[in-house]
Amino acid sequence: MKIIGVGDNMVDVYLHQNKMYPGGNSVNVPVLALRAGAEKAGYIGIIGDDRAGRLLRAGLEEEGLDLSRLRVIHGSNSKNAIILDKSNDRTWAGNNRGGDCAGLQLQFTQADLDCIAGYDVLHTSVHSEIPYLLPLVHGKVLISMDFSDGYTDERIDTLCPYLDVAFFSSSGLTKEKMEAVLLRMLEAGAKLVVCTMGMDGSLVSNGRERIFQPAVKSTEPIVDTLGAGDTYTAAFLLEYWNSRDMQRAAMKGAQFALTTLRYYGAFGHGVEADSADLILNR
């Protein structure tokens, strides 16, 4: 499988460590898919040329991603501030409001579309805000999107007709609401819907059948849970592309998610933090 991420990126600043790590859903998934055994991975997005942006680019280059269509602006990259609780689970502590990348919109050239068409899978997130790309590549690649907790009715109706795989998180949802979101995505046109439920496992449905995959418990100490969901997504997409087997894909996702619990950041590459422009929660 060849996979390209398009859209959001982020540098996560761990305040308790004074370190920062590259990340963002559309970045993490192709990186982690490559680690899981994908043939090739790439990324298209907008980054800054500050220390955070340079960290992000260097991390992706070291991981072996194709960055030939990357946009680099003169200014600050998007950053999140994070603290870990006693169980090493993350808490969002602030951000820099997207830095100088905030409000900038990806405009896709024919060269970009040709590049994307050279991959098997395109993965993006709802927070990348690029719905105008989907009809341009629909039918040319398998399209995957992570809604996280951003599954409004308007977004579902607009985006799901183009999606081969739609992921969303059940965090904070009742069972009834989770079922309603899953059904709504299928009815709106998503071919496959995956609901991730953290330590409660995952649900996968194509509208005709559904499977439940329990979470796999770690036998080693958990260092950091950041990126576990993206790690599941990466392995799920790799196996689903290879076999089109929902059960096998969910099992591979659950197993591979354990790997990211053993280090800090979504895929490592931590350096001393640059926290000067962070606006912390009060």
Side-chain angles (χ1 to χ4, degrees):
M1 179 188 78
K2 295 180 287 187
I3 181 170
I4 187 165
V6 181
D8 65 320
N9 66 72
M10 181 66 60
V11 168
D12 296 307
V13 180
Y14 283 36
L15 299 178
H16 60 292
Q17 289 185 334
N18 192 36
K19 295 191 75 172
M20 60 184 183
Y21 301 83
N25 181 265
S26 299
V27 165
N28 295 340
V29 171
V31 167
L32 295 164
L34 202 58
R35 287 187 177 184
E39 176 186 350
K40 181 181 179 181
Y43 173 67
I44 299 176
I46 303 171
I47 68 171
D49 65 354
D50 61 342
R51 280 193 62 230
R54 294 196 300 273
L55 167 66
L56 184 59
R57 183 171 188 170
L60 296 182
E61 289 175 341
E62 189 170 334
E63 291 292 330
L65 267 68
D66 173 16
L67 302 180
S68 59
R69 308 306 301 171
L70 185 69
R71 277 72 157 166
V72 182
I73 67 161
H74 178 55
S76 57
N77 206 82
S78 180
K79 293 188 290 188
N80 267 338
I82 293 175
I83 56 175
L84 297 185
D85 62 22
K86 293 181 179 179
S87 62
N88 289 324
D89 202 1
R90 66 186 181 276
T91 299
W92 307 115
N95 55 62
N96 69 338
R97 296 178 178 172
D100 292 317
C101 293
L104 297 179
Q105 191 174 68
L106 278 167
Q107 300 294 330
F108 297 96
T109 66
Q110 188 58 51
D112 295 322
L113 300 179
D114 291 343
C115 175
I116 292 169
Y119 287 83
D120 302 313
V121 178
L122 179 152
H123 179 79
T124 187
S125 81
V126 72
H127 300 299
S128 298
E129 302 291 357
I130 50 174
Y132 48 90
L133 171 64
L134 304 189
L136 299 177
V137 296
H138 185 235
K140 298 179 181 178
V141 292
L142 184 147
I143 302 175
S144 163
M145 176 175 284
D146 193 334
F147 283 83
S148 184
D149 57 359
Y151 34 76
T152 64
D153 287 344
E154 180 181 1
R155 283 172 166 171
I156 290 173
D157 291 342
T158 300
L159 300 169
C160 281
Y162 301 104
L163 301 183
D164 295 286
V165 188
F167 295 86
F168 77 97
S169 169
S170 71
S171 178
L173 296 183
T174 63
K175 182 179 179 180
E176 292 73 19
K177 178 62 175 176
M178 178 190 69
E179 291 283 353
V181 173
L182 188 149
L183 181 60
R184 180 69 181 267
M185 288 183 173
L186 289 168
E187 290 178 339
K191 293 182 176 66
L192 191 70
V193 178
V194 182
C195 175
T196 55
M197 303 181 291
M199 294 309 298
D200 292 326
S202 59
L203 280 175
V204 186
S205 177
N206 60 10
R208 299 178 300 279
E209 58 180 322
R210 76 163 53 186
I211 62 99
F212 168 70
Q213 171 61 49
V216 179
K217 293 185 178 180
S218 177
T219 59
E220 300 180 22
I222 295 175
V223 173
D224 182 11
T225 60
L226 184 72
D230 295 344
T231 311
Y232 173 102
T233 296
F236 183 100
L237 289 172
L238 178 59
E239 178 58 37
Y240 186 71
W241 173 261
N242 289 333
S243 69
R244 291 303 195 272
D245 187 316
M246 298 190 305
Q247 186 73 68
R248 284 180 57 85
M251 180 182 67
K252 292 288 187 180
Q255 292 172 338
F256 193 55
L258 294 180
T259 63
T260 196
L261 303 178
R262 299 167 187 163
Y263 54 81
Y264 289 106
F267 55 96
H269 298 274
V271 300
E272 183 181 352
D274 175 6
S275 56
D277 59 342
L278 288 172
I279 301 169
L280 302 182
N281 300 334
R282 294 184 179 181

